[in-house]
Amino acid sequence: MYSDGTLSPMKSPTAKLKRLFGGSGMEVFAKLDLLQLSGSTKERTANSLIESLVASGRVQPGGLIVESTSGNLGIALARQSVVRGIGFVAVVDENANRSALEIMRAYRARIELVPTPPDGNKLAARRQRVQQLLNENPGAVTTNQYGSPANPDAHFNTTMPEFMEAVGGRLDMLFVATSTTGTLLGCQRYLRQHHPETKLVAVDAVGSVLFGSEEGQRRFPGLGAGIVTELSLQADPDVVCRIEEIEMVRGCRRLAQREGILAGASTGAIVAAMERHMPDLGEGSRLGFLVHDSGVPYLHTVYDDDWVRNNLGCEPEPSAVDRVQGTSTR
């Protein structure tokens, strides 16, 4: 807890998962950031972003923060803002989780819903609306999650030291989901500085434009991006693994049904990515991943059989998780 009584992000536990890939001969470790107070690793990001604005004097109690968000960061910023006496406007698009919006409103956040533009680029439209709101509200600031160094700093300073301490400093591969790439970049900087032997896998969505891929439809928030973010230009993972949405669904359900961990779509994508890489790894390899968020906001999508059939055109749970292709970038 800080001197002003604000709750700081907690040190989340790391669990060794024995049933997720039973019989694989691998050791798998999950850092459970879904247990953060706001329900995701974005609690760390939000805290770092706001603290940097407070330290610079750009925002004070009574001020206003505006940010483009797909859900988790909005929840975390709303919570962090309300306890500091700062107003918050979340600029969201039509992919935003209904539950996430309800949680933000519970924290007294104002929601600005931006319709999908003719070109389909939801993220660009959200960022344009953020700039309009800043112009309309003199003194308002944005946390700029897409370019602020405080975003990766949160994970360089807290997430990675905690994780590597918990696993005795030994991981062969670390799997991290991407959106702004702030979490990925913070992990990358820490590993290259302290554990260069650990390979970093960026898990991205099919339809995301990150790392030179082509834009396509994406239904789940929080994984991938419709623009090349400022932070992503600094990201250099060892491997990029792109995941189809049905594979995210199946990965989520596998994690829930084998380990009792109800996680969001980005973590389901990581499960699929890990399975794809396992045939190429030796017995005894040690894999780590971040459980980025809770699956509660996804109960009406990822975990709803009818939604999956109607929107993805697939059965949600075949006999095995489909394989995905990892693409080396180094």
Side-chain angles (χ1 to χ4, degrees), residues 22-143:
S24 68
M26 311 287 175
E27 292 185 281
V28 179
F29 300 89
K31 185 159 184 58
L32 304 178
D33 257 16
L34 80 170
L35 298 179
Q36 290 290 340
L37 191 56
S38 60
S40 79
T41 198
K42 296 297 187 180
E43 179 77 6
R44 301 175 187 269
T45 307
N47 181 74
S48 184
L49 290 169
I50 294 181
E51 283 294 305
S52 69
L53 292 175
V54 170
S56 69
R58 294 182 60 203
V59 69
Q60 300 174 2
L64 180 66
I65 290 173
V66 183
E67 181 60 282
S68 160
T69 171
S70 60
N72 285 326
L73 183 66
I75 293 171
L77 286 172
R79 196 199 74 76
Q80 294 268 350
S81 294
V82 76
V83 298
R84 289 176 167 89
I86 298 169
F88 175 59
V89 180
V91 180
V92 305
D93 61 45
E94 293 167 325
N95 275 356
N97 284 311
R98 184 177 69 195
S99 297
L101 300 182
E102 291 171 352
I103 294 169
M104 283 187 261
R105 290 191 180 100
Y107 287 132
R108 298 180 63 185
R110 172 181 154 196
I111 306 298
E112 282 277 330
L113 179 61
V114 178
T116 301
D119 65 3
N121 195 323
K122 297 178 177 66
L123 179 52
R126 293 201 324 249
R127 296 189 76 184
Q128 182 178 33
R129 182 55 180 153
V130 167
Q131 190 56 52
Q132 291 172 345
L133 289 168
L134 293 176
N135 294 338
E136 295 168 6
N137 295 273
V141 297
T142 181
T143 43

Side-chain angles (χ1 to χ4, degrees), residues 4 14 49 56 62 67-68 109 135 140 159-160 193 231 238 240 264 268 272 284:
D4 63 357
T14 296
L49 290 169
S56 69
E67 181 60 282
S68 160
N135 294 338
T159 309
M160 285 309 301
Q193 183 172 330
L231 292 176
D238 297 289
V240 175

Side-chain angles (χ1 to χ4, degrees), residues 3 48 74 101 137 144 217 219-220 224 226 230 234 260 263 280 284 295 301:
S3 58
S48 184
L101 300 182
N137 295 273
N144 184 24
Q217 184 180 26
R219 298 170 183 83
F220 297 132
E230 296 94 320
Q234 305 168 54
D280 301 322
T301 54

